[in-house]
Amino acid sequence: MSNGVPVLWLCGPPGVGKSSAAFEIFSRLARGGVRTAFIDLDQIGLCHPVDDEHRVRTAALGAVWPNHRAAGARCLILSGVVDTAEQARAYADAMPGADVTLCRLRVRADELRRRFVGRGWRPELVDRAVAAAEALDRTGFADLCVDTDGLTVPEVARTVRKRIGLRPAAAPEPTAPPAPRAGAAITTPTLWLCGATGVGKSTVGYEVFRQVIGEGVPAAYVDARQIGFLRPADGGRALMAANLAVLDAVFRQAGARCLIVSGEAGHPDGFTGLFAASALTVCRLDAGPGRLAERVLMRGRGDGPVVPGDELRGLPERELVEIARRAAAEAADAPDGAVRVGTDDRTPADAARAVRAAAGGWPRPRTP
C-alpha cells in the first residue's frame, strides 16, 4: 500500500446497502480512535438538472476532499454508485494523495428487490436497480467484490474490513479545523430550514428541492449534517461550513440558481457569516410535542427512508422519549428574522409549499 490516505469506496447497485455498510465501517473505525471521514456521493451531488451527474459529483468530491484532509482525516470511507472504470478513475483523480480501494457489494436479484423496496424510497425504480446490478456483474473494474446475501450490516462491515486489511494513514492531528476561503461568501439565494429534532427538516427541504426543479429552476440541495462526518473529535460546524462554501461553488458552476439547506441544528448560528446579506432566508419548522415524539419514535424504529448517520435509528424507546422531550423544549428557540411554518397537520409537499409561501414565494423569479 502507498503512503497516501486510504479511501475505502463501497459501490454497487442502488439498494444493495452501500451507505449502511460504509457508515458502519466509519463508526467502528472512529470508535477505535481512528480519525475517519465519511462521504456519501449522493449527498454531495444533489444538483439538477445537469447533463452529467457523475461530473458534478466528481467535482464535489474534489472540492470537499482537501477540507477533510486539512481537518486531519486519516482515512475516508466513501459510498456511491459508479458504473464504469473511467468514472472510477475520474473520482480517484479528484482526490490527490488518496489510495483508493474500490469494493463492490453484490446480492441476489430477489434479495436486492427486497432491500430496495424496504428502503421506502421510490420503489418504482427497483427494476432499474436490478438491471444496474446485472450490468455491474459484467464488469471487472472493482478491486474486490463482497457477496452480502444473508449478512447483516455489521457482518458486511466486518467482512469488508477483513478482506482489505485497512491501514489508516499516519496523518498529524490538525491545529484547527478548516475555514472557508477569504472572499468565499455565498451569494446564491439560499433557503435554510431549521428546527427541533424530528420536525422534518430534511424531508421538507428535499421536497422544496423537488418542487423547485419541477418548476424548471436549476437548484441544489444539501443536508448540512451529511457534509460534516469526521470522528472522533469531528470538525463540527467549521467543517460543514467549509464544505458548504466549496459545494456552492461547484453547484453554481453546474448551473444552480438557488440552494436549499437542511440545518443540522436548531438554527444556523456559525453559518450565517458564509452568506452575502441578501442571499439567506431562514425558515423555522415547528411541530407540537406529540407530533415530535411520534416522528422521533418512528425514526427510532427504522421507518421511512434510511439516511446515513441517523443516530435515532435503533435506540431504546426510553432514550427516544427523552430525545423527543428535549426536542419539544428546543421548539421555542428561533433565530431572529426567521419565518416560521408549522408541520403538524401537513404532508411534506404541503409543508414545502407553505415554507415557500411564507418566504415570499421562494425562490423569487430572477432575470437569468
Side-chain angles (χ1 to χ4, degrees):
M1 183 175 286
S2 75
N3 293 324
V5 176
V7 175
L8 172 58
W9 182 355
L10 267 60
C11 67
V16 76
K18 302 179 296 296
S19 296
S20 297
F23 198 85
E24 178 72 14
I25 295 171
F26 160 72
S27 300
R28 287 172 178 263
L29 287 168
R31 288 196 298 269
V34 179
R35 194 169 174 85
T36 306
F38 169 80
I39 297 173
D40 186 323
L41 286 175
D42 285 344
Q43 297 289 336
I44 61 170
L46 289 168
C47 180
H48 292 285
V50 293
D51 294 331
D52 185 344
E53 291 185 352
H54 283 290
R55 181 166 52 83
V56 173
R57 290 173 184 166
T58 301
L61 181 61
V64 301
W65 168 248
N67 292 336
H68 288 279
R69 291 200 67 183
R74 295 178 57 199
C75 62
L76 167 65
I77 310 302
L78 184 65
S79 169
V81 171
V82 61
D83 301 310
T84 67
E86 291 74 22
Q87 289 172 359
R89 281 195 294 271
Y91 282 112
D93 290 345
M95 298 182 287
D99 185 4
V100 180
T101 299
L102 190 61
C103 175
R104 179 162 68 90
L105 303 184
R106 59 188 176 193
V107 70
R108 297 189 319 270
D110 59 336
E111 176 62 12
L112 179 60
R113 287 181 179 278
R114 186 191 69 78
R115 293 181 186 181
F116 191 97
V117 173
R119 299 190 312 176
W121 185 78
R122 303 206 62 187
E124 72 275 10
L125 299 180
V126 65
D127 289 337
R128 188 180 302 180
V130 172
E134 292 171 348
L136 285 171
D137 282 338
R138 294 190 291 270
T139 71
F141 61 85
D143 296 299
L144 73 156
C145 293
V146 172
D147 291 309
T148 67
D149 287 297
L151 299 181
T152 64
V153 170
E155 288 169 342
V156 172
R158 285 195 296 271
T159 301
V160 170
R161 289 190 64 188
K162 184 177 180 180
R163 291 279 301 274
I164 67 167
L166 186 65
R167 297 178 182 176
E173 291 295 318
T175 56
R181 300 185 312 276
I186 295 174
T187 58
T188 307
T190 301
L191 177 65
W192 186 293
L193 296 174
C194 62
T197 301
V199 78
K201 299 181 291 293
S202 297
T203 301
V204 176
Y206 188 75
E207 182 60 34
V208 171
F209 171 64
R210 282 169 48 89
Q211 290 181 10
V212 169
I213 62 176
E215 294 167 5
V217 179
Y221 169 75
V222 175
D223 184 331
R225 189 165 179 270
Q226 294 293 323
I227 59 173
F229 285 124
L230 181 65
R231 298 175 184 166
D234 65 17
R237 294 187 176 192
L239 179 60
M240 293 179 196
N243 284 339
L244 186 58
V246 296
L247 287 175
D248 170 69
V250 169
F251 296 150
R252 281 191 289 109
Q253 180 67 29
R257 287 175 45 194
C258 60
L259 173 65
I260 299 97
V261 180
S262 298
E264 56 84 34
H267 49 75
D269 286 355
F271 294 91
T272 50
L274 280 178
F275 297 90
S278 61
L280 181 63
T281 300
V282 179
C283 178
R284 170 83 188 196
L285 299 181
D286 292 324
R291 188 54 59 89
L292 286 174
E294 176 185 317
R295 292 172 181 169
V296 168
L297 289 168
M298 181 186 70
R299 281 173 51 185
R301 292 192 300 267
D303 295 341
V306 177
V307 178
D310 187 348
E311 294 180 345
L312 298 183
R313 192 177 180 89
L315 287 181
E317 184 170 339
R318 64 181 181 279
E319 293 185 33
L320 295 169
V321 169
E322 174 58 21
I323 290 169
R325 186 195 64 78
R326 292 198 302 267
E330 294 170 11
D333 183 24
D336 293 339
V339 297
R340 302 187 73 148
V341 172
T343 64
D344 272 352
D345 299 316
R346 289 183 166 122
T347 65
D350 288 340
R353 285 189 286 269
V355 165
R356 298 177 63 194
W362 195 93
R364 291 190 179 95
R366 298 168 58 229
T367 301

